[in-house]
Amino acid sequence: MTSSSGASRRQVLAVAAAAATAPLLAGEPARAAAANGAKTWDLTVLGTSDTHGNVYNWDYYKDAEYDDSKHNDVGVAKLATLVNQIRAERKGKATLVLDAGDTIQGTPLATYYAKQEPITSTGETHPMANAMNVLKYDAVTLGNHEFNYGLPLLAQWIGQLGFPALAANAINEKTGKPAFLPYVIKEVELGGLGAPTLKVGILGLTNPGVAIWDKGNVEGKLIFADMIATAAKWVPIMRERGADLVIISAHGGDSGTSSYGPELPNENPVALIAQQVPGIDAILFGHAHNEVPEKFVTNTQTGERVLTSEPSKWGQRLTRMDFTLTREKGRWKVVSKGSTMLNTNTVVEDPAVLAAVRGQHTKTVDYVNKVVAQSEVELSAVESRYKDTPILDFINQVQTEVVTAALAGTQYAGLPVLSIAAPFSRTAVFPQGDVRIRDVAGLYVYDNTLEAVVMTGAEVKAYLEYSAKYFVTLPVGAAVNPDTISDPTVPDYNYDVISGVDYDIDISKPVGQRITRLVLPGTATPVAADAQFVVAVNNYRRSGGGNFPGVVKTQVYNQQQEIRQLLIDWAQAKGVIKPGDFFVPNWKLVREGVPVF
């Protein structure tokens, strides 16, 4: 794979072996330097992350301007306005703009140019390349979602960028060398008469979870090394090659925990990188979608403080890092650093970014507004987390039908087919009457494909027990509030319901002891531990996403069919969506056998 475009290469300071000594790290505040008569210069680094295909401030699922309960705005066009304001404010001074990944997946706009009119077939420039090239980033890190659509599309997108794409820990399995550009060293003029040059090293780290989440796209091709070890390898090299200041752009959170098991390197190691790897001045990070305006982490070897910041998601926030530097005996020294967070709802969209993507945005809006079916009644997902609802059964019905038909005539044809679905959206609705593509896409917001495995009755029960940890424990008699019934540490997408068996979840009992009834459908016959079932499941879950037990095994069905498109096709073929065709109430929340709702 190519590591960067020609334009990117011209921006890279290709340093073979510059003999520069490493600078000191952050020390006294800037005012101390000023008091000593030392001249100071400043550098601003702006950071975005997890833009997820958002360019316009637009909700494609609602066909309206984006809004949420906190009145956030989204999109690269909004980010561009803030960036341009800061560049204008700092005219003549050094300002860098970085992104920490998850760029080309997440909206119907991004999906359209990966699936409906893929850039690999048309040669068209990806909308996120169009938008980001207008903004003129200095570098972007690859996030895990960059790998969703396969390596050819990723390579083409990288080639369309006017700046480098970084991922030091993505290793070519055959050569053992980095598959992408590991870092760049930007030579920047700090401004002012006679101002010296500062060399800023930018190291990109992607998420090791790609090996699970996109196994089908990367297995046998790429290995994803530990982010901490990779930083420890490359930071000294960057310093040796002349970097005066080192910034890491990392697609991983700072919690120190992983959503998967221990078989892969840590998913969210940013604080650990700062603690364990000397020589880092700051880390821009993403992946967790949190808003972290400013957080300092002390390096245990040097005692120096590393500045870290995460700018939320979707273009809602912009991180601003400010560094004050001085020169001592020919070396740069950071005398102060800090960061603030800017809200994109304070500005209008940048017209140049809007213009660059207008045609693609319009085409996507037209596509998602196509009517695919009529719904007899309104179907809502608002209660799907804690009640059996027709709209989730719609997903399970389609998955069950597809897998059942595919396995006809095989050795698995005689096994009952179960299906797994999660309440991805709390706001999805099929309105009574016209159902459009955007309504279906709003129910199934991820680009997952359908797979199936064989599971035993014991494995099905263990799976349901694991899923049931989603709920807080509420003793008999305790008040039940749907808004607080779930554990805030477990996201909605990690709560699964299963069709094809009947079961109760007793939320008054401890985690691991909550499946108090698990029977064959419509009977009182308990599911035997050694019973066998074919289970329809998405590729994310089957490959280990969420660390659910019993499902990471060889598939008996995998035709690489996107679930969202299967739902659209099913609705279009039927013409009418009738709950009576698929709604089978088969699970409920209870306390000591008494239904909660």
Side-chain angles (χ1 to χ4, degrees), residues 183-186 199-203 238 243-248:
Y183 70 92
V184 292
I185 296 179
K186 299 283 294 186
K199 295 176 181 177
V200 181
I202 304 158
L203 177 68
M238 295 164 68
D244 301 311
L245 189 80
V246 170
I247 298 172
I248 291 180

Side-chain angles (χ1 to χ4, degrees), residues 471-532:
F471 297 102
V472 297
T473 303
L474 291 172
V476 174
V480 177
N481 182 347
D483 294 334
T484 57
I485 199 169
S486 60
D487 183 333
T489 67
V490 182
D492 293 354
Y493 61 77
N494 274 345
Y495 169 62
D496 285 349
V497 302
I498 296 183
S499 67
V501 289
D502 295 352
Y503 61 97
D504 290 347
I505 303 172
D506 192 327
I507 59 173
S508 70
K509 297 191 179 302
V511 170
Q513 302 174 32
R514 290 180 164 178
I515 306 303
T516 53
R517 185 178 70 99
L518 178 59
V519 300
L520 297 176
T523 76
T525 305
V527 170
D530 62 351
Q532 287 199 317

Side-chain angles (χ1 to χ4, degrees), residues 2-306:
T2 180
S3 59
S4 67
S5 67
S8 301
R9 292 180 189 277
R10 289 193 293 272
Q11 295 182 24
V12 176
L13 183 61
V15 217
T21 53
L24 300 176
L25 298 178
E28 316 86 56
R31 60 178 177 273
N36 292 333
K39 181 172 178 55
T40 61
W41 290 267
D42 58 275
L43 168 73
T44 293
V45 177
L46 305 178
T48 66
S49 188
D50 295 274
T51 51
H52 280 287
N54 287 281
V55 177
Y56 277 58
N57 183 43
W58 194 257
D59 187 331
Y60 291 93
Y61 305 120
K62 295 180 180 177
D63 196 28
E65 181 176 322
Y66 180 88
D67 193 25
D68 62 18
S69 60
K70 296 181 179 179
H71 301 297
N72 288 305
D73 287 348
V74 298
V76 174
K78 288 269 185 170
L79 290 168
T81 299
L82 286 176
V83 169
N84 290 336
Q85 286 180 354
I86 294 167
R87 282 174 170 155
E89 162 204 323
R90 291 181 49 76
K91 188 174 183 180
K93 296 183 179 181
T95 304
L96 298 178
V97 185
L98 308 178
D99 184 89
D102 273 7
T103 304
I104 59 172
Q105 176 277 339
T107 61
L109 173 68
T111 302
Y112 190 88
Y113 288 95
K115 296 288 188 178
Q116 302 302 319
E117 292 187 16
I119 61 171
T120 45
S121 299
T122 66
E124 188 170 353
T125 302
H126 194 284
M128 293 306 288
N130 281 329
M132 295 176 81
N133 285 340
V134 172
L135 199 151
K136 296 181 181 178
Y137 279 83
D138 291 283
V140 61
T141 292
L142 301 184
N144 53 282
H145 282 289
E146 264 63 85
F147 298 85
N148 285 173
Y149 303 116
L151 299 182
L153 187 139
L154 174 56
Q156 185 148 340
W157 174 68
I158 290 173
Q160 294 171 345
L161 298 176
F163 47 88
L166 311 177
N169 59 320
I171 309 300
N172 184 306
E173 187 165 343
K174 291 183 179 178
T175 67
K177 297 178 180 180
F180 306 92
L181 199 64
Y183 70 92
V184 292
I185 296 179
K186 299 283 294 186
E187 192 168 296
V188 298
E189 302 293 336
L190 293 182
L193 186 62
T197 297
L198 178 74
K199 295 176 181 177
V200 181
I202 304 158
L203 177 68
L205 299 173
T206 193
N207 203 282
V210 174
I212 286 179
W213 304 320
D214 273 301
K215 183 177 181 179
N217 291 330
V218 301
E219 188 173 27
K221 301 172 184 176
L222 299 178
I223 297 171
F224 294 86
D226 181 88
M227 296 170 76
I228 305 171
T230 302
K233 172 184 176 179
W234 287 104
V235 169
I237 292 173
M238 295 164 68
R239 289 289 190 182
E240 290 168 4
R241 294 182 177 178
D244 301 311
L245 189 80
V246 170
I247 298 172
I248 291 180
S249 175
H251 195 77
D254 66 347
S255 68
T257 61
S258 299
S259 65
Y260 42 73
E263 68 276 5
L264 282 183
N266 196 305
E267 179 183 354
N268 297 297
V270 163
L272 299 173
I273 294 171
Q275 288 172 359
Q276 298 176 22
V277 181
I280 301 167
D281 294 289
I283 303 177
L284 171 73
F285 68 101
H287 185 61
H289 291 196
N290 291 327
E291 184 176 341
V292 182
E294 178 187 74
K295 183 178 179 181
F296 286 96
V297 179
T298 301
N299 184 272
T300 55
Q301 294 186 43
T302 65
E304 301 293 347
R305 298 199 307 162
V306 179

Side-chain angles (χ1 to χ4, degrees), residues 317-569:
R317 301 289 185 273
L318 176 72
T319 283
R320 175 174 177 163
M321 295 180 173
D322 289 295
F323 302 85
T324 302
L325 306 102
T326 190
R327 297 274 288 178
E328 291 186 358
K329 298 179 180 180
R331 300 179 182 181
W332 283 108
K333 179 179 181 180
V334 178
V335 294
S336 73
K337 56 188 173 184
S339 60
T340 54
M341 194 68 65
L342 304 176
N343 194 328
T344 57
N345 70 7
T346 62
V347 295
V348 299
E349 293 170 291
D350 178 68
V353 172
L354 295 182
V357 185
R358 181 167 288 115
Q360 294 171 314
H361 168 75
T362 300
K363 183 177 284 188
T364 302
V365 169
D366 290 345
Y367 170 72
V368 299
N369 276 289
K370 290 181 180 177
V371 175
V372 292
Q374 303 290 311
S375 181
E376 280 191 336
V377 295
E378 180 180 282
L379 302 179
S380 171
V382 68
E383 296 179 330
S384 293
R385 297 174 299 119
Y386 51 88
K387 285 185 182 180
D388 194 347
T389 57
I391 203 165
L392 273 199
D393 276 6
F394 167 72
I395 299 172
N396 279 329
Q397 177 68 24
V398 174
Q399 294 182 165
T400 298
E401 286 187 12
V402 171
V403 170
T404 300
L407 295 181
T410 72
Q411 61 179 309
Y412 306 106
L415 297 181
V417 177
L418 314 184
S419 179
I420 293 172
F424 292 149
S425 170
R426 299 188 182 193
T427 58
V429 174
F430 290 178
Q432 184 178 18
D434 289 348
V435 175
R436 304 174 190 275
I437 287 176
R438 63 181 169 86
D439 300 318
V440 182
L443 172 65
Y444 208 100
V445 296
Y446 295 107
D447 300 321
N448 297 328
T449 57
L450 182 61
E451 301 184 4
V453 296
V454 173
M455 296 175 68
T456 66
E459 288 173 326
V460 169
K461 183 174 183 181
Y463 191 102
L464 287 169
E465 289 284 11
Y466 184 86
S467 182
K469 71 184 178 65
Y470 173 79
F471 297 102
V472 297
T473 303
L474 291 172
V476 174
V480 177
N481 182 347
D483 294 334
T484 57
I485 199 169
S486 60
D487 183 333
T489 67
V490 182
D492 293 354
Y493 61 77
N494 274 345
Y495 169 62
D496 285 349
V497 302
I498 296 183
S499 67
V501 289
D502 295 352
Y503 61 97
D504 290 347
I505 303 172
D506 192 327
I507 59 173
S508 70
K509 297 191 179 302
V511 170
Q513 302 174 32
R514 290 180 164 178
I515 306 303
T516 53
R517 185 178 70 99
L518 178 59
V519 300
L520 297 176
T523 76
T525 305
V527 170
D530 62 351
Q532 287 199 317
F533 303 92
V534 170
V535 182
V537 63
N538 69 53
N539 66 301
Y540 172 80
R541 191 69 82 228
R542 206 282 313 161
S543 61
N547 202 27
F548 278 68
V551 73
V552 181
K553 56 179 63 176
T554 302
Q555 310 99 310
V556 297
Y557 166 86
N558 181 13
Q559 294 183 3
Q560 293 293 299
Q561 293 180 288
E562 188 178 282
I563 294 171
R564 178 168 49 213
Q565 192 60 47
L566 290 172
L567 301 179
I568 292 168
D569 293 346

